[in-house]
Amino acid sequence: MELRHLEYFLACVDQGTFTAAARSLNVVQSAVSTGVAKLEREVGDRLFDRTPTVLVLTETGRAVVGPARAALRARADVFDAVDGVRGDIRGEVAVGALVNVVAIDLAEAFAEIHRRHPGITIAMRQNPRGTAGNIVGVRAGTLDLAFLGSYPDRLPGLAVHRLAQEPLVLVCAGDHRLAQRGSFTTADLAEERMIDYPPGWGTRAVVDREIPNRRTVIEVADQFFGMSLAVKGFGVTLVPLSVARMQSGAAILPCSDTALMWDIAIAYSSTRVPSQAARSVLETVLELARPLRSITQMPP
């Protein structure tokens, strides 16, 4: 059994089609489809049902995913050990990203990683389910590290380091009735047109928990677009204070009756030993990706 065939198989699992898998691996599509077919002959069963639009794992395919990932991790561990003997730290580190993170100086941390270890490549992965998707990625082994926003209290299988905490604030138009008051309560939002964010996002988790009876009028996957809608009077939205400060012309209001707090953290698997490259990225982020400035005080 060739490891590259397992690599082709997992690329198909992650990408959904032979074409997308080939593109992600920078090989021709025929190499991927042929490699998967050879793997299927070796295991003696189909790994995918081929539909017109997407590859669907069979029961056998689902059983192969875990061992295949373990085999590729073992190969990576071999090269990691050799690099360690040579004193080299290199390799790709897959990092689960979050959109609109401005509370921490992530750019400085990544620039420093490049200065210290130019052989490390960081592959940022954006999951549409935000924090929830990143948690799944770390547990599945498709992500080495991941940023989490307002994560659950208990995360079996993950080690979590908090980087920053800040309040969620309400962003609305300057002439909104709540803007004149200067603050809001959670009860105030029951009658408002709420601009929400996708399920799985950390901000969404906080709002679902604290304001379950709100009236959502739109769901968007970009907080800056959500704030633009709010400034134009389309509705109101809740975002981290550091993000709200980036929006000009907005009224930014604190919550006066409940602590609506948003945390950002970095996590990795507590059941697998991270590579030297992943450890180096983690250590540099913990050292340098600290809040850019105070994010607990409202702007004047």
Side-chain angles (χ1 to χ4, degrees), residues 257-273:
D257 69 332
T258 302
L260 299 178
M261 302 302 294
W262 182 81
D263 298 273
I264 182 170
I266 189 167
Y268 59 96
S269 173
S270 60
T271 62
R272 295 187 302 273
V273 177

Side-chain angles (χ1 to χ4, degrees), residues 45-244:
D45 202 355
R46 288 181 300 106
L47 300 175
F48 295 105
D49 287 325
R50 278 78 161 165
T51 74
T53 57
V54 70
L55 296 171
V56 179
L57 282 167
T58 62
E59 184 176 355
T60 299
R62 288 192 294 272
V64 169
V65 170
R69 294 201 192 281
L72 292 187
R73 283 197 298 270
R75 180 183 64 177
D77 289 344
V78 169
F79 288 111
D80 195 48
V82 173
D83 288 340
V85 172
R86 294 172 175 168
D88 296 331
I89 299 180
R90 59 182 177 177
E92 181 178 275
V93 180
V95 180
L98 297 176
V99 301
N100 307 143
V101 174
V102 298
I104 57 175
D105 197 349
L106 192 56
E108 173 58 26
F110 282 4
E112 182 61 24
I113 290 166
H114 173 66
R115 287 189 285 268
R116 295 177 182 178
H117 308 293
I120 292 178
T121 301
I122 298 174
M124 299 294 284
R125 306 286 188 237
Q126 186 70 56
N127 191 293
R129 297 187 62 236
T131 290
N134 285 352
I135 291 170
V136 171
V138 172
R139 285 176 173 159
T142 57
L143 296 175
D144 299 299
L145 305 169
F147 291 98
L148 311 180
S150 292
Y151 44 91
D153 291 335
R154 293 186 67 257
L155 286 173
L158 268 68
V160 181
H161 297 269
R162 179 189 286 177
L163 298 172
Q165 183 183 66
E166 60 181 309
L168 291 181
V169 294
L170 191 73
V171 174
C172 61
D175 59 356
H176 191 280
R177 66 179 183 90
L178 293 175
Q180 311 309 312
R181 188 193 304 173
S183 65
F184 73 98
T185 66
T186 53
D188 289 329
L189 301 186
E191 301 175 0
E192 292 296 328
R193 292 169 52 89
M194 288 293 299
I195 301 163
D196 257 336
Y197 303 97
W201 284 33
T203 49
R204 174 68 177 263
V206 175
V207 176
D208 281 348
R209 182 179 66 247
E210 301 294 344
I211 314 170
N213 298 321
R214 66 194 184 280
R215 181 166 66 101
T216 299
V217 294
I218 191 172
E219 186 180 287
V220 298
D222 185 328
Q223 291 172 329
F224 289 108
F225 181 57
M227 291 191 297
S228 295
L229 287 172
V231 169
K232 295 182 184 300
F234 181 85
V236 300
T237 191
L238 287 161
V239 299
L241 176 56
S242 61
V243 175

